[in-house]
Amino acid sequence: MKKRHLAISTALIALLASGCGQNDTETNASEDEEVVVVPISVDLTVPETGKAGEAIQLEAAVTQGDEKVTDANEVEYEIWEDGKKEDSWKVKSDQNTDGVYEAEAKFEHDGVYHVQVHVTARDMHTMPMKEITIGAGTPDDEAESEESHDHHDSAEGFSMHFMEPEAVKVNESAMMIVHLQQDENPLEKARVRLEVVVNDKKDEAKWVQLTEEKPGEYHGEMTFDTAGTASVTVHVENDAGLHEHETHEITIAE
């Protein structure tokens, strides 16, 4: 009888050990598997030409693999005339068709314009860009005049998006986020700093070093002790010789 009980106990222990070993193997196998994240993709549609004063339809179809992305956090169009990025304006979009975010834009006068869509969805960001020529484009004499002015043109293929923090208040931490791309790919390992001037007091400028939290996405926090208007200049450099900057304004409330 005792021998029979001993045999049964031995069999149970072997079975349990086998089960545990199998589970450990399955766990290790699952841990070793790489999780492949499918990036979001944006098909930006912008007419090649248009007329001044007329509404121009803009569309951005956002997908992830074969799936239409209907839950984007942000889809916003930024538009500026060639050579005048500092005078850009933004247009919010509406999703009237699953995964397609639409907007209308009007251009006051003839010229060559850049249309860039900023898409943030599923913890990813991308910002493709296209050009549109309005009317006759830029007259030759005006183009020559613009070339004689000292304005900053971005390096070819480089894109920057400063996500302006909302509802910035005195003595409350504000998160500053900058997205960088080169040839529509995340620009990694860049040195990104913010030069912050409040109420035009340039002699009291403060610098904020940003940290790369995700490929091409840089974060930093800042607290303001004075209400008013802050000029935020984003400085970007890397070991390949890139040196770019853009200036934005944010409002600080009491």
Side-chain angles (χ1 to χ4, degrees):
M1 192 69 174
K2 290 182 179 179
K3 290 183 178 179
R4 183 182 178 188
H5 286 166
L6 181 60
I8 293 173
S9 299
T10 303
L12 286 173
I13 292 171
L15 182 61
L16 289 171
S18 174
C20 291
Q22 184 176 359
N23 289 338
D24 289 343
T25 301
E26 290 176 355
T27 301
N28 291 336
S30 63
E31 289 177 353
D32 292 339
E33 290 178 359
E34 291 186 8
V35 178
V36 179
V37 178
V38 179
I40 59 172
S41 178
V42 178
D43 183 11
L44 175 61
T45 301
V46 177
E48 292 183 359
T49 60
K51 294 182 179 180
E54 291 187 358
I56 304 296
Q57 187 73 19
L58 311 175
E59 292 185 358
V62 186
T63 56
Q64 186 178 30
D66 296 329
E67 180 187 0
K68 297 177 180 179
V69 175
T70 61
D71 56 352
N73 302 94
E74 176 197 53
V75 179
E76 185 176 59
Y77 294 87
E78 183 178 9
I79 306 168
W80 67 92
E81 190 171 0
D82 189 40
K84 300 179 181 179
K85 178 70 185 291
E86 67 278 4
D87 297 325
S88 70
W89 70 95
K90 295 179 180 179
V91 182
K92 294 287 187 180
S93 68
D94 292 313
Q95 185 179 185
N96 298 318
T97 306
D98 282 355
V100 179
Y101 298 81
E102 303 172 354
E104 283 188 353
K106 287 187 177 181
F107 301 84
E108 294 181 355
H109 57 265
D110 291 1
V112 177
Y113 294 82
H114 301 272
V115 178
Q116 186 172 41
V117 63
H118 299 282
V119 180
T120 303
R122 301 178 180 181
D123 291 328
M124 289 175 276
H125 184 89
T126 188
M127 42 188 173
M129 180 172 62
K130 289 190 175 181
E131 287 187 359
I132 179 172
T133 299
I134 300 299
T138 303
D140 292 339
D141 56 347
E142 185 176 334
E144 291 175 3
S145 176
E146 287 181 2
E147 288 177 2
S148 65
H149 285 76
D150 183 21
H151 65 260
H152 177 75
D153 289 324
S154 295
E156 186 176 355
F158 174 80
S159 295
M160 180 191 309
H161 180 213
F162 172 66
M163 296 186 68
E164 297 181 15
E166 296 181 0
V168 178
K169 295 183 179 180
V170 171
N171 296 325
E172 292 186 6
S173 179
M175 177 61 73
M176 307 290 185
I177 301 176
V178 175
H179 292 99
L180 302 178
Q181 287 189 348
Q182 182 66 47
D183 299 325
E184 299 190 11
N185 294 311
L187 178 60
E188 302 181 56
K189 299 179 180 179
R191 296 182 292 278
V192 184
R193 299 182 298 160
L194 304 182
E195 181 183 6
V196 183
V197 176
V198 179
N199 296 330
D200 292 326
K201 296 181 179 179
K202 296 182 180 179
D203 56 334
E204 298 178 9
K206 296 181 180 180
W207 290 84
V208 180
Q209 186 76 39
L210 303 192
T211 302
E212 187 172 12
E213 299 292 336
K214 300 176 185 177
E217 183 175 312
Y218 299 79
H219 292 206
E221 292 187 39
M222 185 165 187
T223 301
F224 299 91
D225 54 15
T226 305
T229 301
S231 171
V232 181
T233 301
V234 185
H235 295 268
V236 179
E237 298 176 86
N238 69 3
D239 293 338
L242 180 75
H243 190 174
E244 296 292 329
H245 63 270
E246 282 186 8
T247 301
H248 304 264
E249 286 192 352
I250 59 177
T251 300
I252 310 161
E254 290 284 1

